[in-house]
Amino acid sequence: MSTGPDSFSASLPLAGVRVIELCNVAAGPFCGMLLADMGADLIKVENPNGGDTLRSWPPISDGYSENFASLNRNKRSVTLDLKNPADLVKFKTLIQTADVLIENNRPGVMDRLGVGYGMLKEINPQLVMASISAYGQTGPRAAEGGFDLTVQAMSGIMSVTGEPGGAPVKCGVPLADFSAGLYAAFSVVCALRAAQSTGKGAHIDVPMLGATLGIAALQTSEYFGSGKDPVKLGSAHPRNAPYQVFKCRDGYFGMAAGNNALWAAVCEVVDQPAWVVDPRFLNPTLRAQNQDVLRQMLENLFMQADADVWLARFRAAGVPCAPINTYSQVLDDEQVKHMQWVKDITLPNGVKTQTFGSPVQFDGKAMPIRLSPPALGEHNDEVFGG
């Protein structure tokens, strides 16, 4: 399915770049989709016995996984069993035509299959290969497997997520998977530029643990600077206040006054001008140190009206604020509609559904969905026939 004009598709940043994806579930396929959204010709290599395991994840619409669809648009699917000598030859032939290979097997698996980077660069010296794993290609934990849950536990994310004193909880969004996918896609594009100028490819090692620590810069720097572990604060911020979710008459809303000017605007909205000069609240650091009492003072006032009332008042005053949305609510938001992020797609079985497309625009134009998510092996003839 093509939804964008051919001229625009041909002008996408990665048009003409061929990417081979040998991945399952989330981190690798997300990386591949990011590259495919930018115009790369992405060929997804799947095992003929079931393919990417994400294909079995619900919700299932007439036999097709919508989870799988959300990470595999703009891709072509072929099936190969790399333990089969004939299929291994086909895979290596594909590699000869490729600019990039993405894989998220455990370290050592590609070498055992005979398609490790050392071998592949002999047949394609310019190949950029990105290997995504739980802990990295080398080191004492390299052989350990990992999923988003275990990496969130290992990385410290669970130690700062949830309410003070509560049991460990993971972030509801799989941060470890998707941060690794983002790092991998960024690194691939950087390595491609170098390969085009030098003629030499690279093997990129993308550990999920490292990527997850990389996006925790504020937490790691808090530890390095203070010698103390960051702790759970619920929705609050360790260095700023008011900057959290607040209870009001009909529920909750989020509000973030991250500097003194915004704090003064908050005091004006709640009609408490004396709070501006209260010694406990003179700057963000003091407000953070006293945020428990500050939250209670604010919530005593917020209980007098519903969330929509307070959101309207804070927006009028220029104070960042937001409702606590469900996904059905945010996907129906006026900004999401304006940006046209929700796209109609048709699955291989004919089921019409929707997906969240690329949020990025180039010169005011969104990345098109050029290909619907593929059926398993849908493009065998198209790819191998040529």
Side-chain angles (χ1 to χ4, degrees), residues 242 244 246-248 253-257 262-271 275 298-299 301-302 306-322:
Q244 66 183 103
F246 294 95
K247 187 172 178 59
C248 60
F253 67 93
M255 184 266 288
L262 290 171
W263 167 238
V266 169
C267 294
E268 183 176 350
V269 168
V270 298
D271 195 22
W275 290 2
L298 286 168
E299 288 186 342
L301 299 174
F302 293 157
D306 292 346
D308 285 347
V309 173
W310 292 113
L311 291 170
R313 292 176 182 175
F314 283 123
R315 284 172 180 151
V319 178
C321 59

Side-chain angles (χ1 to χ4, degrees), residues 18 149 235 249-250 268 316 340 368:
R18 171 167 282 189
L149 169 72
S235 64
R249 187 166 66 188
D250 69 339
E268 183 176 350
Q340 299 181 336

